[in-house]
Each structure stands twice: as structure tokens, then as C-alpha cells.
Amino acid sequence: MNITASMVKELREKTGAGMMDCKKALQECDGDMEKAIDWLREKGIAKAAKKSGRIAAEGLTRVAVEGNTGVVFEVNSETDFVAKNDQFIELLDTIQTVLLAAKPADEAAALALDVNGDTLETVIANATATIGERISFRRVAVIEKSDDETFGSYMHMGGKISALVVLKGGNAEVAKDIAMQVASMAPQYISRDHMPQDFIDHEKSIQLEILKNDESLNSKPENVLKGIVEGRLSKSLQDVSLIDQVFFKNPDQKVAQFLKEANAEVVTFVRYVVGEGIEKREENFAEEVMSQISGK
């Protein structure tokens, strides 16, 4: 497979590894980005895989709460300029209203919702025609809580990141703090107990390969090596476990300790980042101008 400069650049941004290491990793893995990340980690060249995906598409996320219903959704545009447009913001307001009222099960159900005689899909299509850029409704999560539970929500940079959490116990202030933790520290699971076994097994295999490639450990007894693997695995999993993360307001305290003191427990959380996992088209304006001049 032909390994392009853009592929190498992307892998370097994801791992922090050198250009030549990234190129070799992609060659060894036939251009598979995720396998190349693992390959670099196994060789000890990349410290950790970045799981957030390629952040590229523009637009906004939004989190809103009404009674016992909370919604988080994302609407994409082609440029950040349009995402700040009043018409775009009004569209998000409309979408928020119908989502909270109808509580759709998924994106398809959301797009079929009635908005003053039109479907939401038609409203978005009309916005595309009016604004002059492709507008797309990408995803939605509807969360219901019970009366004895508390919502915490937070939007960063006007909606570049949105987080919604549900707590049992605690209060609104504690819930807001946990939502800010989720937004800023990007946990993937509430705790290790919530992680799928295949996710844990995959992380363990990475740590085993790293150990195999560390010649300084070759002479260590098997029980010592096992302890090292478990220690490294535990550290790796802590980074993606909400309750095991360092609390953003107090570097001397874990989230679990903060929750215990507040007599609170995390029931669930959702975190959306604009453009997460979407590859952005690369623009080369110099080439575009030259092609127009030459008539190509």
C-alpha cells in the first residue's frame, strides 16, 4: 500500500512519534492507522494511543436539560464561521426544543420529527440552502433520570465540547463539577468495572508487547514481569476511568474521593466533541487559485 505524507502526518499527530517511525509503522501495518498506533506503542515509541479520533468537522455540540430529560447533540457545518452564524444558532435552538419534547431513540427518529408541518430533516435541508453550506445533524443522546438523581451539564467554548452526567446523591454543584471533569479529562468509562473485557485485554496485550521489546527486563523473573505488566495496565486504564482520574479542581485528590465526600455516585455520562472521528478535507488554496488561473 502507498503510504502518503498525510497518513504519516496524521499518525504523528496522534502519537507524537517521529516521521520515520510513523512511516515505518504504517508500512508494517499496511496503512491501518489503529494498528500502526498499537505498533508504535508496542515498540515504546508512542506512549499512548489517542482515542478521540480526528477532530476536523466544524459546527457545534449542545447539551440541554428539561425536568428529568437531558439531551446532547451535534450539528456540523463546513466552516467555523457558519457555526457562529445567528441562523445556525437558531437552528440549534429549534433542534433542542423538538428533541427535549419528543425524546427520539436515535438520529433517524430525530430527523423524522415534526417541526411546524415539516420534518426536522427538511428544516435542516432548508437551512443548508439558506446558509449556503452543508449542514448535517450528526448524533444525539437522550438521557432520562429519576427524581432522586441529578443532572450535571457543561459546554466548553460555546459548544465545541458538551458533557452531561447523571449522579445519584450529591447536588447540582457536584454534578456540574463532574460534568466539567468529563469535558476536560475525556474519560471513556465510569470505572474499570464498566470496561468491556476485550478493551482491557487489548490494553494488556499492548503492555506485554512493550515489555517484550524492553531488553533491560529480559533477565527479570516471570512474577516480577507479571507485576510490571499489571502495574502498567492499571495506570493505562486509570487514564480512561472517570473515578480513577485526578480531580481537575484538586490534583491531590481522585474523582472517587471527591464523590465519596459528596456522598454521590456516577450513574452515566455522555461527552461529545465537535467533529470527533470525522476526517476533514484538506484544502490547498494555492493549488486552487493556480488551477482557476490555468483554467483546469
Side-chain angles (χ1 to χ4, degrees):
M1 179 179 178
N2 181 41
I3 306 301
T4 65
S6 63
M7 291 168 67
V8 174
K9 178 176 178 289
E10 179 185 343
L11 183 57
R12 187 183 185 193
E13 290 173 350
K14 284 176 176 287
T15 63
M19 296 289 282
M20 295 308 296
D21 289 325
C22 288
K23 183 175 181 180
K24 182 173 177 58
L26 287 164
Q27 290 172 336
E28 291 289 332
C29 300
D30 295 323
D32 187 304
M33 192 64 61
E34 292 305 315
K35 288 182 180 178
I37 291 171
D38 287 347
W39 188 91
L40 287 168
R41 291 184 66 196
E42 289 163 4
K43 302 300 180 186
I45 298 169
K47 292 182 179 180
K50 293 184 180 179
K51 301 295 185 181
S52 59
R54 293 169 290 191
I55 311 303
E58 303 299 343
L60 289 173
T61 63
R62 176 79 69 88
V63 57
V65 170
E66 187 175 272
N68 283 345
T69 302
V71 297
V72 189
F73 63 96
E74 178 182 358
V75 180
N76 295 130
S77 60
E78 292 181 44
T79 65
D80 185 55
F81 178 77
V82 160
K84 298 172 183 175
N85 183 296
D86 287 343
Q87 289 177 290
F88 188 83
I89 301 301
E90 288 173 9
L91 175 63
L92 263 68
D93 292 340
T94 297
I95 293 172
Q96 175 180 312
T97 299
V98 296
L99 292 180
L100 283 169
K103 308 170 189 177
D106 54 29
E107 291 77 17
L111 289 170
L113 293 176
D114 178 76
V115 184
N116 300 322
D118 287 323
T119 64
L120 181 58
E121 185 172 24
T122 299
V123 170
I124 292 171
N126 291 340
T128 294
T130 303
I131 294 173
E133 274 191 20
R134 182 171 176 268
I135 309 298
S136 61
F137 178 79
R138 185 182 179 208
R139 52 182 172 167
V140 60
V142 178
I143 305 294
E144 298 276 13
K145 74 171 185 66
S146 60
D147 290 336
D148 65 342
E149 294 173 336
T150 305
F151 276 131
S153 63
Y154 177 70
M155 286 197 302
H156 182 63
M157 293 178 64
K160 291 301 182 184
I161 303 174
S162 288
L164 177 67
V165 304
V166 177
L167 294 189
K168 185 174 287 292
N171 54 42
E173 185 179 351
V174 172
K176 175 67 175 291
D177 281 343
I178 297 300
M180 292 178 74
Q181 176 81 24
V182 168
S184 61
M185 303 304 290
Q188 295 180 49
Y189 303 97
I190 295 173
S191 69
R192 182 163 174 168
D193 292 339
H194 292 79
M195 297 178 188
Q197 189 58 46
D198 59 352
F199 175 82
I200 295 173
D201 291 344
H202 176 74
E203 287 300 309
K204 188 171 185 177
S205 71
I206 295 294
Q207 298 305 324
L208 283 169
E209 286 300 320
I210 291 173
L211 232 62
K212 288 178 183 178
N213 288 292
D214 191 339
E215 295 181 0
S216 68
L217 298 174
N218 288 346
S219 60
K220 299 287 185 182
E222 186 175 339
N223 64 321
V224 173
L225 292 175
K226 184 178 179 180
I228 293 173
V229 169
E230 287 301 322
R232 290 183 176 181
L233 175 63
S234 178
K235 175 62 174 68
S236 175
L237 297 181
Q238 282 178 16
D239 291 340
V240 295
S241 166
L242 172 58
I243 68 168
D244 293 316
Q245 289 180 340
V246 173
F247 184 40
F248 80 101
K249 280 190 171 182
N250 182 359
D252 296 322
Q253 187 179 46
K254 293 290 184 71
V255 171
Q257 294 171 285
F258 171 71
L259 289 167
K260 185 177 181 180
E261 291 175 4
N263 195 28
E265 176 186 348
V266 179
V267 177
T268 190
F269 70 83
V270 177
R271 179 182 187 268
Y272 280 179
V273 179
V274 170
E276 188 172 35
I278 299 176
E279 183 176 8
K280 187 177 182 180
R281 181 183 64 194
E282 292 188 6
E283 303 282 8
N284 188 320
F285 294 107
E287 288 184 4
E288 184 178 335
V289 170
M290 290 305 295
S291 67
Q292 290 177 359
I293 291 173
S294 61
K296 293 181 181 178

